[in-house]
Every structure is written in structure tokens, then in C-alpha cells.
């Protein structure tokens, strides 16, 4: 990929010009990790994210937001690889830093709750998943406008938990809230709208 080529050249130049633990190198490693993740090459992504994290650990304070971002990125890769306990470990490290350093209702905290909820859902721990999704939703409601797409993601995630519990009435309620927001904020052929409509059809047949 062109982006990968560009970032690798940039890294080579930086390596020659900068000391081994320079923060700019961490940024380069992180960018390369990002490209590998987007290509689905997760072990490569992990390798670069970890190099970035090592530099940050040596050069930044223990609760620096960039460390939180690093932990979150690594958690995300483990999540995609299906290594859920590892994903949880890194998401929780990220969350702890955000909790110490960000205002109480910061959107990144809501995202962290949502990420942790996703892992619990993947592990089949639905009550834990619901607990985190609801925390994410409560926080988002305080900081976002009522028809913000992120709220729809929360409603959709909560609906999925209720489907797994075969509580179709509640699932329908949350899916419809998600659809309502997405129809106001996204083009009508957007995959989120298509998917949630399919879910609503499925649930209605179950009622």
C-alpha cells in the first residue's frame, strides 16, 4: 500500500536522525501499525504498536494519554484476533488512564466502556456487556446531541444483548431507537441502516 510505503520511508529517515527512544519514532511505529491493522495483518500491526508502546513507556509519564491510546490500539487488535482476555487487559489499562486524566463525561471514556462491552459480548458474558454498554450510553447522553450516531451504536449494541437473551420486545425497542437516529444522520443506503432494518425484521418475526 502507498501509505505503508510512505510511513516506512519516513521511519527509516527518522531512525537515522533521531535517538532510539524519540517520541516521533513512536508516532511512526503507530502509523505503520494502523496501516497493517486496516489491511487485516494483525500480527504485523501488533509488532509495530508494541514498539510504539515501548518508547512511550520509557519517555512519558505512566498516565499519559498517548499511553492510553497505545493500550487501546493493542486491545483493538487482540479483539479482532479473537484473543478476548488480552483485549480486555489492554482496554482496561487504557480506561484506567483515561479515568485518571480526562473529565468525568469525556467521549473517550464512553468509547472505552463500549469497547469493553464489545469484548464481553464476544465472550458471551452478556450481563457484563450490558453493564458496560449502559455506562457508555449514559455518558454519551450527557455529552452528545440526542440524534448523534454514537448514541445509535449504543442502542444497537444493547439490542444485540437482548436478542441473545431472546428478550425480543426490548431488543425491538432499542433497534428502533438506533434506526431513528441513523435515518436522521446517515444516507439511506448506509450499511448501519440496512443491518438494523434486517434486525428489526428478524425480531418482529419472533414476537
Amino acid at each position: 500500500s502507498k501509505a505503508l510505503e510512505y510511513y516506512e520511508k519516513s521511519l527509516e529517515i527518522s531512525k537515522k536522525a533521531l535517538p532510539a527512544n524519540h517520541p516521533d519514532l513512536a508516532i511512526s511505529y503507530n502509523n505503520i501499525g494502523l496501516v497493517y491493522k486496516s489491511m487485516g495483518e494483525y500480527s504485523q500491526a501488533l509488532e509495530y504498536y508494541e514498539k510504539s508502546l515501548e518508547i512511550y513507556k520509557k519517555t512519558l509519564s505512566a498516565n499519559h494519554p498517548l499511553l492510553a491510546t497505545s493500550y487501546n490500539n493493542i486491545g483493538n487488535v487482540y479483539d479482532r484476533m479473537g484473543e478476548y482476555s488480552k483485549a480486555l487487559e489492554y482496554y482496561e489499562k487504557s480506561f484506567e488512564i483515561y479515568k485518571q486524566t480526562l473529565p468525568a463525561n469525556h467521549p473517550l471514556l464512553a468509547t472505552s466502556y463500549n469497547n469493553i462491552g464489545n469484548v464481553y459480548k464476544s465472550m458471551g458474558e452478556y450481563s457484563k456487556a450490558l453493564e458496560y454498554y449502559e455506562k457508555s450510553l449514559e455518558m454519551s447522553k450527557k455529552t452528545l446531541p440526542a440524534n448523534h450516531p454514537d448514541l445509535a451504536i449504543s442502542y444497537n449494541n444493547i439490542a444485540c444483548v437482548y436478542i441473545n437473551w431472546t428478550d425480543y420486545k426490548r431488543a425491538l425497542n432499542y433497534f428502533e431507537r438506533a434506526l431513528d437516529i441513523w435515518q436522521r444522520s446517515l444516507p439511506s443506503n448506509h450499511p448501519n441502516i440496512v443491518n438494523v432494518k434486517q434486525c428489526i425484521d428478524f425480531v418482529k418475526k419472533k414476537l
Side-chain angles (χ1 to χ4, degrees), residues 89-161:
E89 181 193 326
Y90 280 91
Y91 279 151
E92 282 170 348
K93 282 180 181 177
S94 172
F95 175 71
E96 281 312 309
I97 295 172
Y98 285 146
K99 211 163 69 170
Q100 289 167 29
T101 56
L102 297 173
N105 290 322
H106 194 282
L108 278 174
L109 283 170
T111 303
S112 276
Y113 280 133
N114 192 63
N115 288 344
I116 293 169
N118 283 340
V119 176
Y120 278 124
K121 190 182 82 172
S122 299
M123 292 164 82
E125 294 194 31
Y126 300 119
S127 50
K128 278 269 193 200
L130 186 62
E131 182 191 324
Y132 281 92
Y133 286 151
E134 284 177 339
K135 282 179 181 174
S136 176
L137 177 62
E138 283 318 300
M139 204 166 271
S140 297
K141 276 181 172 175
K142 287 173 188 165
T143 54
L144 299 173
N147 61 349
H148 193 283
D150 283 3
L151 285 175
I153 290 170
S154 282
Y155 289 132
N156 188 70
N157 287 341
I158 290 170
C160 290
V161 171

Side-chain angles (χ1 to χ4, degrees), residues 23-181:
D24 283 1
L25 283 175
I27 293 167
S28 283
Y29 286 132
N30 187 68
N31 288 340
I32 292 171
L34 204 60
V35 176
Y36 276 123
K37 187 183 82 172
S38 71
M39 290 162 71
E41 296 193 23
Y42 299 129
S43 54
Q44 290 281 80
L46 215 47
E47 185 188 321
Y48 281 92
Y49 280 151
E50 281 169 351
K51 284 179 180 177
S52 176
L53 177 63
E54 282 316 302
I55 293 174
Y56 285 146
K57 275 181 171 173
K58 287 171 187 166
T59 55
L60 302 173
S61 61
N63 63 351
H64 194 285
L66 280 174
L67 269 176
T69 305
S70 265
Y71 286 133
N72 186 70
N73 288 345
I74 292 170
N76 189 253
V77 174
Y78 278 125
D79 194 0
R80 290 178 183 214
M81 291 167 82
E83 294 195 31
Y84 300 124
S85 56
K86 278 260 171 72
L88 211 49
E89 181 193 326
Y90 280 91
Y91 279 151
E92 282 170 348
K93 282 180 181 177
S94 172
F95 175 71
E96 281 312 309
I97 295 172
Y98 285 146
K99 211 163 69 170
Q100 289 167 29
T101 56
L102 297 173
N105 290 322
H106 194 282
L108 278 174
L109 283 170
T111 303
S112 276
Y113 280 133
N114 192 63
N115 288 344
I116 293 169
N118 283 340
V119 176
Y120 278 124
K121 190 182 82 172
S122 299
M123 292 164 82
E125 294 194 31
Y126 300 119
S127 50
K128 278 269 193 200
L130 186 62
E131 182 191 324
Y132 281 92
Y133 286 151
E134 284 177 339
K135 282 179 181 174
S136 176
L137 177 62
E138 283 318 300
M139 204 166 271
S140 297
K141 276 181 172 175
K142 287 173 188 165
T143 54
L144 299 173
N147 61 349
H148 193 283
D150 283 3
L151 285 175
I153 290 170
S154 282
Y155 289 132
N156 188 70
N157 287 341
I158 290 170
C160 290
V161 171
Y162 283 121
I163 276 196
N164 282 294
W165 282 338
T166 66
D167 188 340
Y168 298 118
K169 200 172 172 186
R170 278 201 178 143
L172 181 62
N173 179 5
Y174 282 97
F175 278 138
E176 284 177 339
R177 289 191 211 181
L179 177 63
D180 183 48
I181 292 171

